[in-house]
Amino acid sequence: MLLKFAIKEFQEDREFRQISKATLTNYMGCLKEFHTYCLEKEIIEVTDITSNTIKSYLIYCQKERGNNPTTINSKLRSIKIFFNYLQEIEIFNEKNNPIHKVNYIKANVKIEVFSDKQINEMLSYYRRIKTRDKSLYAYRDSTIIITLLGTGMRLGELCNLKWSDVDFENQHIILFGKLQTQTSIPMADKLKSELQEYKLFCQKQFGKLPMFVFVDRTGKPLSPNAVKNMFKRLKQIMNFPNVRCCAYDFRHTFAHRFLMNGGDVFTLQKLLRHSSPAMTERYLAIWGTALQERANQFNPLNKFNL
């Protein structure tokens, strides 16, 4: 089978499985780049691809495209999923599938979180603009930050959030995550208050409430790229060291605060909607020292003279 046809079939299969648009875009972006690389090496048939072909592509990504280990592993994950699909449809078998001989590279994973000071500075910045300008951007962007901090939701979940998904009476928010799975997460009192105020502002601003919670000045839902640009502007204004200032930093901060305040990993897994406990336990591994300090500080044995 020609590689370009195999990639097309893979795309149709993932669409049939209803994976998220963002995930599909990531897969296809990587496979398009891989396809271009293979054409330059005069490889057009899927069965002509070897483990060395894949490894040389990853080396190309590292040296020519300047990809860091995390990005390279992300691309390799997409390629692994593609070749495992080819094994499912019997283009390859367990023995001759070239992807099985390609391993992920070691990457130093750094999880960045905001300090209390940085969070207060961001909120104070938007508070000043809201008082002065009363603009949509100030109300919307500050509510985005508070929502991310208060829920740990993903960027895609934030952009897809509708007012019909926000239940003020029962204080929960319905999210549609990966594979269009529906999940209900609790809404804290402070977040409820902020969303209610923002909802009233939107009703006055647009004359009627938009369908989506976070919208542009025309009432259309914000795209993930628009939110990323918002954080880029905020990063320049705040000039914070050691943090990228992106949606995932708020998600990490939510997880960090939850654990530091005594929350358990099992509950955090449910709140973050991780499919595997291992994904949540990486937070425990990174912040284990701080957790140990808190465990020593509040240990019941401290009250007794042993």
Side-chain angles (χ1 to χ4, degrees):
M1 178 184 287
L2 292 176
L3 176 58
K4 66 177 181 179
F5 292 150
I7 291 174
K8 180 62 177 176
E9 285 194 17
F10 172 77
Q11 180 180 2
E12 292 172 350
D13 177 79
R14 298 301 117 162
E15 289 173 346
F16 177 74
R17 299 190 191 196
Q18 295 185 320
I19 66 172
S20 70
K21 291 182 179 179
T23 300
L24 183 60
T25 299
N26 288 336
Y27 288 165
M28 300 314 298
C30 172
L31 292 176
K32 181 180 178 181
E33 183 181 273
F34 180 62
H35 180 223
T36 301
Y37 176 83
C38 288
L39 288 178
E40 291 175 354
K41 301 297 180 181
E42 299 183 352
I43 299 173
I44 61 174
E45 290 283 345
V46 169
T47 50
D48 289 336
I49 297 173
T50 66
S51 59
N52 285 334
T53 307
I54 299 169
K55 289 176 183 177
S56 64
Y57 162 70
L58 297 175
I59 292 172
Y60 156 79
C61 290
Q62 181 183 37
K63 293 184 176 180
E64 302 297 327
R65 301 189 66 84
N67 293 160
N68 60 35
T70 301
T71 301
I72 291 172
N73 283 337
S74 177
K75 288 183 176 182
L76 177 54
R77 180 178 180 275
S78 296
I79 294 173
K80 278 182 177 287
I81 291 171
F82 171 62
F83 275 89
N84 287 335
Y85 163 73
L86 296 180
Q87 185 173 318
E88 288 178 19
I89 62 174
E90 300 181 347
I91 300 296
F92 294 103
N93 57 44
E94 184 70 28
K95 291 183 178 180
N96 66 9
N97 191 335
I99 202 63
H100 295 328
K101 295 181 180 180
V102 185
N103 298 319
Y104 292 106
I105 63 175
K106 290 185 177 180
N108 295 322
V109 179
K110 182 182 179 183
I111 296 182
E112 300 169 332
V113 298
F114 293 105
S115 66
D116 289 347
K117 182 175 182 292
Q118 290 169 334
I119 293 171
N120 283 324
E121 286 179 2
M122 285 186 284
L123 295 178
S124 295
Y125 166 72
Y126 283 116
R127 197 177 299 117
R128 290 194 299 271
I129 298 179
K130 285 165 66 176
T131 302
R132 184 180 69 241
D133 299 336
K134 300 186 183 302
S135 66
L136 168 66
Y137 304 106
Y139 276 88
R140 182 197 66 200
D141 294 358
S142 64
T143 307
I144 285 176
I145 287 176
I146 292 168
T147 301
L148 292 173
L149 280 173
T151 63
M153 69 174 62
R154 299 180 178 92
L155 176 59
E157 294 168 339
L158 181 90
C159 294
N160 292 329
L161 187 64
K162 299 177 181 178
W163 283 113
S164 58
D165 301 325
V166 182
D167 186 341
F168 289 109
E169 183 177 350
N170 297 305
Q171 287 195 218
H172 69 250
I173 298 173
I174 296 174
L175 299 177
F176 294 89
K178 296 180 178 180
L179 301 178
Q180 296 300 307
T181 53
Q182 179 178 315
T183 311
S184 176
I185 61 171
M187 177 168 43
D189 291 339
K190 286 187 176 180
L191 177 57
K192 174 184 175 181
S193 177
E194 291 292 331
L195 283 173
Q196 285 178 323
E197 179 183 342
Y198 171 64
K199 183 179 181 180
L200 289 173
F201 176 85
C202 288
Q203 287 174 325
K204 293 180 181 179
Q205 178 79 10
F206 294 100
K208 65 176 182 178
L209 191 66
M211 179 184 296
F212 289 85
V213 176
F214 299 109
V215 296
D216 61 19
R217 58 188 177 88
T218 66
K220 295 181 180 179
L222 287 181
S223 67
N225 193 53
V227 179
K228 290 177 182 178
N229 288 333
M230 165 206 148
F231 285 130
K232 284 182 182 178
R233 292 191 297 270
L234 183 61
K235 179 178 175 59
Q236 292 176 343
I237 294 168
M238 296 288 102
N239 194 28
F240 291 147
N242 305 323
V243 285
R244 297 166 299 176
C245 198
C246 65
Y248 248 88
D249 286 343
F250 289 96
R251 184 169 167 84
H252 295 326
T253 302
F254 172 84
H256 179 264
R257 292 297 190 280
F258 183 87
L259 290 174
M260 292 303 103
N261 290 328
D264 64 278
V265 175
F266 177 77
T267 303
L268 181 60
Q269 179 193 344
K270 298 299 181 184
L271 291 173
L272 293 178
R273 299 158 313 283
H274 283 159
S275 57
S276 167
M279 298 176 68
T280 316
E281 287 169 356
R282 64 179 178 167
Y283 292 125
L284 193 61
I286 293 172
W287 299 315
T289 302
L291 286 172
Q292 180 65 45
E293 292 173 356
R294 288 188 61 84
N296 288 333
Q297 181 182 356
F298 298 108
N299 194 291
L301 291 177
N302 293 340
K303 295 183 179 181
F304 298 96
N305 185 17
L306 302 176

